[in-house]
């Protein structure tokens, strides 16, 4: 059993994905999905959406596993999504999943969590002023989204919060998972960032259901 | 195939997927960070490498590719083992 409440998320811009025709090929599907998942994609009314939902689930789950293991190998096929999309076996790590699909807006967003509590999550279009600054802009947008999300829920000023990524040798970019800090000290709330195409997304390990008085959402001690 | 030939072929594979100018791609370029290739496109790139060089890139091998130089080394090792 995993004591800490850890979360991951991944957003896929379905319009950007559709603009990359290679990704619809059978070999892409075979590289990402096991046989059972390939069958489900093949039988789906919207195969592309089904594929990207599985892809996002695996990416979201990997972000959790990367917090549990120092340098996990990421092979999409080793992450097996249950047929009901409620859980995933992430290379031996069982996780809960939440899938949101907005076909009108053209996105799939999946949240993975070590607990059954649905965490706080948001998906937004990357603001125009961010899009004009290519390098790092989506990452900055996702950071701002998550700090605002957490600040609002905890009654803090968003400006007092920041998201840092401590160095982690061997990681794909040399940095570890994001950590939300206040005054330079970890807040104790696990967070995850994602961006793709026009979209930014984020999730925080705070329960999503709101109390009527909007209070009482303390950082998780686990 | 020389290292330079492998590098040139890999740059040709990468170019359609990256925002950076092909001239800016070096052996040290991080595919995900510097070239801003996302993970879905990286799957496509691995498939293209398999096709171009006639090799099989297993999942564990694919996960070791961080830089363009890593990809060159992987192809060279696979070709040497063939």
């Amino acid at each position: 059993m995993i004591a800490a409440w850890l979360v991951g998320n991944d957003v896929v811009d379905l319009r950007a994905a559709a603009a990359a025709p290679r990704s619809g090929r059978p070999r892409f599907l075979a590289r990402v999905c096991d046989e059972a998942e390939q069958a489900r994609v093949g039988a789906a009314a919207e195969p592309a959406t089904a594929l990207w939902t599985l892809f996002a689930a695996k990416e979201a789950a990997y972000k959790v596993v990367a917090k549990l293991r120092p340098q996990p190998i990421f092979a999409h096929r080793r992450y097996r999504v249950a047929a009901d999309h409620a859980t995933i076996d992430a290379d031996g790590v069982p996780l809960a999943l939440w899938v949101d699909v907005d076909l009108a807006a053209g996105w799939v967003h999946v949240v993975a969590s070590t607990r059954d509590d649905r965490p706080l999550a948001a998906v937004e279009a990357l603001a125009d002023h961010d899009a004009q600054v290519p390098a790092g802009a989506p990452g900055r947008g996702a950071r701002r989204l998550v700090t605002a999300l957490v600040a609002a829920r905890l009654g803090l000023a968003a400006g007092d919060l920041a998201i840092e990524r401590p160095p982690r040798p061997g990681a794909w970019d040399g940095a570890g998972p994001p950590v939300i800090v206040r005054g330079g000290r970890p807040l104790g709330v696990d967070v995850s960032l994602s961006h793709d195409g026009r979209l930014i997304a984020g999730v925080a390990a705070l329960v999503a259901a709101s109390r009527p008085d909007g209070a009482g959402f303390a950082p998780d001690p686990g | 195939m020389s290292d330079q030939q492998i590098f040139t072929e890999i740059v040709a594979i990468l170019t359609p997927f990256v925002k950076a100018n092909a001239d800016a791609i070096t052996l040290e370029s991080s595919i995900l960070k510097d070239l801003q290739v996302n993970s879905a496109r990286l799957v496509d790139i691995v498939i293209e490498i398999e096709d171009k060089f006639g090799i099989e890139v297993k999942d564990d091998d694919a996960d070791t590719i961080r830089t363009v130089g890593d990809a060159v080394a992987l192809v060279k090792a696979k070709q040497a083992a063939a």
Side-chain angles (χ1 to χ4, degrees):
Chain A
M1 181 173 174
I2 302 162
W5 188 8
L6 303 174
V7 292
N9 86 123
D10 193 65
V11 65
V12 173
D13 182 339
L14 294 173
R15 293 174 195 167
R22 292 177 179 83
S23 298
R25 298 183 309 179
R27 283 179 58 204
F28 182 94
L29 183 62
R31 191 142 199 126
V32 169
C33 300
D34 70 8
E35 290 183 3
E37 292 167 339
Q38 290 176 49
R40 298 206 308 264
V41 170
E46 295 277 354
T49 304
L51 168 61
W52 291 115
T53 299
L54 293 173
F55 187 89
K58 292 164 190 246
E59 293 278 333
Y62 174 74
K63 291 176 182 175
V64 177
V65 174
K67 296 172 182 175
L68 294 167
R69 298 173 180 168
Q71 289 184 36
I73 290 174
F74 186 30
H76 291 90
R77 280 180 294 202
R78 294 186 194 169
Y79 286 55
R80 296 180 173 88
V81 180
D84 62 1
H85 290 176
T87 59
I88 184 170
D89 174 351
D91 202 11
V93 178
L95 299 172
L97 292 177
W98 287 269
V99 175
D100 286 306
V101 179
D102 188 332
L103 290 178
W107 54 257
V108 171
H109 183 234
V110 181
V111 176
S113 170
T114 55
R115 293 191 183 172
D116 288 336
D117 301 302
R118 181 170 184 147
L120 203 57
V123 178
E124 287 185 2
L126 185 62
D128 290 342
H129 67 273
D130 282 334
Q132 291 168 7
V133 186
R140 285 201 303 274
R143 280 176 166 80
R144 192 175 58 245
L145 176 64
V146 171
T147 52
L149 206 61
V150 172
R153 183 52 52 90
L154 296 181
L156 302 172
D160 290 343
L161 304 179
I163 293 180
E164 300 174 351
R165 293 186 62 212
R168 181 192 269 190
W172 67 271
D173 62 351
V179 177
I180 189 165
V181 300
R182 184 186 188 202
R185 301 176 63 181
L187 195 59
V189 176
D190 191 47
V191 296
S192 172
L193 312 172
S194 179
H195 58 82
D196 185 43
R198 306 161 291 130
L199 303 164
I200 54 175
V203 61
L206 294 163
V207 288
S210 300
R211 280 174 41 166
D213 59 4
F217 293 96
D220 185 79
Chain B
M1 234 176 162
S2 69
D3 287 9
Q4 183 59 47
Q5 287 173 313
I6 296 171
F7 173 75
T8 301
E9 294 286 3
I10 286 178
V11 169
I13 290 169
L14 287 169
T15 300
F17 296 97
V18 304
K19 296 171 184 171
N21 188 315
D23 294 340
I25 300 175
T26 70
L27 285 170
E28 289 74 34
S29 299
S30 164
I31 295 173
L32 295 172
K33 184 180 180 184
D34 299 331
L35 305 183
Q36 297 182 50
V37 171
N38 69 25
S39 52
R41 299 292 82 76
L42 186 56
V43 174
D44 289 323
I45 288 166
V46 169
I47 293 169
E48 298 277 341
I49 287 173
E50 287 185 324
D51 291 346
K52 173 65 74 177
F53 297 101
I55 60 175
E56 180 186 3
V57 180
K58 295 186 183 299
D59 291 336
D60 287 15
D61 294 330
D63 195 59
T64 65
I65 299 173
R66 299 280 188 274
T67 65
V68 176
D70 292 338
V72 171
L74 178 64
V75 170
K76 191 175 181 184
K78 291 283 180 184
Q79 289 186 329

